[in-house]
Amino acid sequence: SQELEQSPQSLIVQEGKNLTINCTSSKTLYGLYWYKQKYGEGLIFLMMLQKGGEEKSHEKITAKLDEKKQQSSLHITASQPSHAGIYLCGADRRLTDSWGKLQFGAGTQVVVTP
Amino acid sequence: DAGITQSPRHKVTETGTPVTLRCHQTENHRYMYWYRQDPGHGLRLIHYSYGVKDTDKGEVSDGYSVSRSKTEDFLLTLESATSSQTSVYFCAISESRGADTEAFFGQGTRLTVV
């Protein structure tokens, strides 16, 4: 959706290097979800951010939601082959739409090279 | 996986035939969703349910109907399948956990309409 833009579309990172993915919304967010998807498989829930300025971490993945709640970044530290996949952000707009429906970005494909 | 099972996992059907996809959950979640995922479009919401017999349309509901006669089952029906409905279909549930809301997806159903 153009209302939710992810960047970059794809990236190649060398194993051990850091990477950052951005998700920008043109409309106010109630919350922002991050998922990882392996090709041909389902979506794995990573984390959900709700409060402006909120930051959450899980293993080597950290996500932040900016103060104005319209942009989020996902940062992976010291990338590993297991981090390869497609990362998707999903917008929860329950303040202006029905509860729980998510609007997704197009995804960012991450390739980790040796 | 939040106890979500989709069936079938793969299906090939002919244009004009009816098709029903099933999403089954074991944890009594109130909210359930059907999305489709297509290259270039990402994930888009088809229909969702906020309780037994309570359903509503999503972004791309034309050509689809849903039913939820029991909490645990959410059925997606293509009344007369078309080639444009070839896609990967995902079922999802959402769950409030304190101040957070988590949303989990099933493994997907790959549908091919020939």
Side-chain angles (χ1 to χ4, degrees):
Chain A
S1 167
Q2 292 182 342
E3 294 179 349
L4 199 64
E5 296 275 353
Q6 278 188 245
S7 62
Q9 285 187 317
S10 63
L11 65 93
I12 301 172
V13 62
Q14 190 176 26
E15 185 175 351
K17 300 294 185 183
N18 303 337
L19 67 96
T20 299
I21 301 168
N22 294 303
C23 180
T24 302
S25 173
S26 60
K27 296 182 178 180
T28 301
L29 300 169
Y30 176 83
L32 194 289
Y33 291 74
W34 283 102
Y35 292 88
K36 178 186 172 186
Q37 184 180 29
K38 293 279 194 182
Y39 179 77
E41 298 181 10
L43 280 69
I44 300 169
F45 174 79
L46 296 175
M47 56 195 80
M48 184 263 192
L49 304 165
Q50 185 175 321
K51 303 180 186 67
E54 186 173 17
E55 179 176 321
K56 288 186 178 178
S57 293
H58 175 69
E59 298 180 343
K60 294 187 177 181
I61 300 175
T62 300
K64 300 179 185 179
L65 186 63
D66 83 348
E67 291 290 341
K68 296 182 180 178
K69 297 179 64 175
Q70 293 199 212
Q71 185 174 38
S72 178
S73 61
L74 184 86
H75 184 77
I76 298 177
T77 304
S79 59
Q80 300 171 352
S82 61
H83 290 127
I86 300 170
Y87 290 80
L88 295 157
C89 63
D92 182 344
R93 306 189 192 283
R94 71 182 68 179
L95 295 179
T96 56
D97 203 344
S98 297
W99 192 91
K101 293 161 59 178
L102 296 182
Q103 182 182 49
F104 283 88
T108 296
Q109 182 165 18
V110 172
V111 175
V112 180
T113 62
Chain B
D1 65 358
I4 305 170
T5 305
Q6 289 186 233
S7 59
R9 293 293 312 281
H10 302 272
K11 187 172 181 65
V12 180
T13 192
E14 292 184 349
T15 298
T17 60
V19 177
T20 295
L21 308 183
R22 181 184 183 228
C23 178
H24 179 77
Q25 53 120 339
T26 58
E27 299 185 11
N28 209 35
H29 300 295
R30 179 182 172 191
Y31 292 85
M32 299 183 74
Y33 311 82
W34 277 107
Y35 290 85
R36 60 178 288 176
Q37 186 176 35
D38 305 286
H41 292 280
L43 277 152
R44 293 177 292 174
L45 182 67
I46 306 171
H47 280 280
Y48 64 103
S49 169
Y50 41 94
V52 173
K53 298 185 179 179
D54 288 326
T55 65
D56 206 347
K57 297 179 180 180
E59 181 185 354
V60 289
S61 59
D62 287 348
Y64 301 95
S65 62
V66 290
S67 66
R68 192 162 178 207
S69 58
K70 299 183 291 184
T71 299
E72 58 265 36
D73 288 324
F74 192 31
L75 305 180
L76 177 71
T77 298
L78 291 66
E79 302 291 346
S80 178
T82 66
S83 58
S84 65
Q85 293 176 312
T86 293
S87 185
V88 181
Y89 291 86
F90 287 98
C91 174
I93 62 92
S94 58
E95 176 77 17
S96 287
R97 297 186 188 279
D100 287 347
T101 302
E102 296 179 347
F104 298 98
F105 284 75
Q107 290 300 299
T109 295
R110 186 172 295 274
L111 177 68
T112 302
V113 183
V114 298

